Amino acid sequence: MAKKMWAGRFEKATDKDVNDYNSSLRFDCRMYRQDIRGSIAHSAMLASRGIISQKDADDIRTGLLSIEADIESGKLTFDSDAEDIHMFIEEELTNRIGDAGKRLHTGRSRNDQVALDQRLYLIDESKEIVEGLDKLILTLKEMALSNLTTFMPGYTHLQRAQPITYAHYLSAYIEMFRRDKARLEQAASRADISPLGSGALAGTTYDLDREAVASSLNMGGVTLNSLDGVADRDFAIEFVSAISIFMTHLSRMSEEIILYSSQEFKFYELDDAYSTGSSMMPQKKNPDVAELTRGKTGRVYGDLVALLVMMKGLPLTYNKDMQEVQEALFDAIDTIKGVLPSFTGMMSTMTIRKDKMESAALEGFTNATDLADYLVKKGLPFRETHAISGKLVHYCIENNTSLEKLPLETLKEFSPAFEDDVFDAISLKTCVEGRSLIGGPAPETVKRYLESI
Ligand code: ARG
């Protein structure tokens, strides 16, 4: 085993099991680009402040870039007993460029270094996640625009409630996903400050130019307290919490995809490429993508809870427990990145059974509220008209018919206020078109909304 960089005060080498147990290289190796970027910025600043020579900074930069290229080409692998990615790269650098490599860590600790790497990694990944989210929103928007007049029942308690359109339904999720996007971007922008210069916890006596490092990394600023700079992980908690809320929305939609593609609903027919069969039952076509999304939501919540619990009892500042933060953060990021392409593909390829949606809207007395409202417009009080409409629904159930199929004479038996115009008033089209206030399901309103986003 190579001698540890911190071995000066130790008489014995680290136990082999402890070394493996302690090592984070197998998971933090994914931050090699961010680690190298941070080190190049730090060493350039050290040279500009005269703390190391320009020649050393140049050698460090060249060495680090060659390490990056070799990792990328597969020439350099992570099979090392190094403690973490930071040690791995620094050791490799020193092997390549000699003493200059040993000057890189001047005025820096792994505590501020790892906090920086995690922030940079989170910001890089947030861009990819938001890109995937944008594609999903665009897919739903296109689907909505071609279903402005596709009627379906809206539900409460999973009971048919009032008629809406499929475009209106999809727009509800578009709104949720737009908020998710804003949350992810805001969390990433709050993470976008550099902790370098916090040192191990108490800053450093070197005259570092913290702002220059931050701006060369394109970061929005610097952390303002050195203890907080190394001890804080709420940027990770906030980001995973934004991913969790996003997953909640994907999971609710998944639950509906599972229901709507069942034989009981038949609103959706999933594309063959986005569903799976059964090894035993030949007729089966299963919504695995939606089910996995629902399942993985639990997994991401697990990551969030792990982060919260991990951090809640830690005294300031750095504690090794915090190494575990990375695995939860990475898992949440990997999970959401894994979900998005399949989920969006499933949505864009499935067949929408407009006929089934519309007949479900027609069959469920979803126009009963409009019938009551019709009588209100004829001058009756709503509480009374609500009761009349309820009685009519009961009558229809007994006689196996629907409100709009009742003859006017029958309607008049329940209230003399009914007139010929009732049939138009309770048609699906009128029910939906009449709800044209902001946020309502009227096709024109939904179209205007979709064009505005
Ligand atoms: N691998 C460590 C982590 O991720 C880096 C920081 C180590 N710092 C220390 N004082 N041991 O947390």
Side-chain angles (χ1 to χ4, degrees), residues 50-107:
I51 300 167
I52 64 172
S53 71
Q54 190 55 49
K55 162 96 177 60
D56 282 348
D58 293 343
D59 289 351
I60 288 171
R61 182 186 153 83
T62 315
L64 287 171
L65 290 176
S66 78
I67 291 172
E68 182 170 37
D70 289 352
I71 293 173
E72 237 121 74
S73 72
K75 212 160 116 194
L76 179 61
T77 55
F78 296 112
D79 53 358
S80 137
D81 58 18
E83 207 173 294
D84 52 31
I85 186 61
H86 326 294
M87 295 286 207
F88 175 87
I89 291 176
E90 198 183 318
E91 275 166 21
E92 184 63 30
L93 180 69
T94 303
N95 290 342
R96 292 187 185 203
I97 66 166
D99 275 357
K102 297 185 187 165
R103 299 208 167 89
L104 165 63
H105 211 51
T106 314

Side-chain angles (χ1 to χ4, degrees), residues 70 84 98 198 232 240 279 296 301 310 373 445:
D70 289 352
D84 52 31
S198 301
D232 161 53
V240 175
S279 56
K296 284 180 189 290
Y301 292 174
M310 230 179 264
D373 288 344
T445 306

Side-chain angles (χ1 to χ4, degrees), residues 24 28 83-84 86 109-111 114 118 233 318-320 322-323 326:
S24 52
D28 63 16
E83 207 173 294
D84 52 31
H86 326 294
S109 157
R110 271 184 302 155
N111 295 353
V114 70
Q118 286 175 25
R233 290 295 182 271
Y318 177 82
N319 301 269
K320 194 64 175 239
M322 286 153 69
Q323 183 164 280
Q326 296 169 108

Side-chain angles (χ1 to χ4, degrees), residues 145-204:
L145 280 169
S146 48
N147 284 285
L148 289 169
T149 55
T150 304
F151 299 121
M152 71 180 284
Y155 296 86
T156 61
H157 313 268
L158 200 57
Q159 304 286 328
R160 289 174 194 163
Q162 290 182 328
I164 56 169
T165 67
Y166 187 52
H168 187 233
Y169 163 85
L170 289 172
S171 301
Y173 281 103
I174 293 176
E175 278 299 280
M176 294 177 227
F177 293 141
R178 273 161 31 94
R179 290 195 296 276
D180 288 328
K181 177 178 168 173
R183 260 187 291 270
L184 288 164
E185 286 177 337
Q186 284 162 9
S189 88
R190 241 187 304 283
D192 195 15
I193 47 175
S194 168
L196 279 194
S198 301
L201 76 158
T204 169

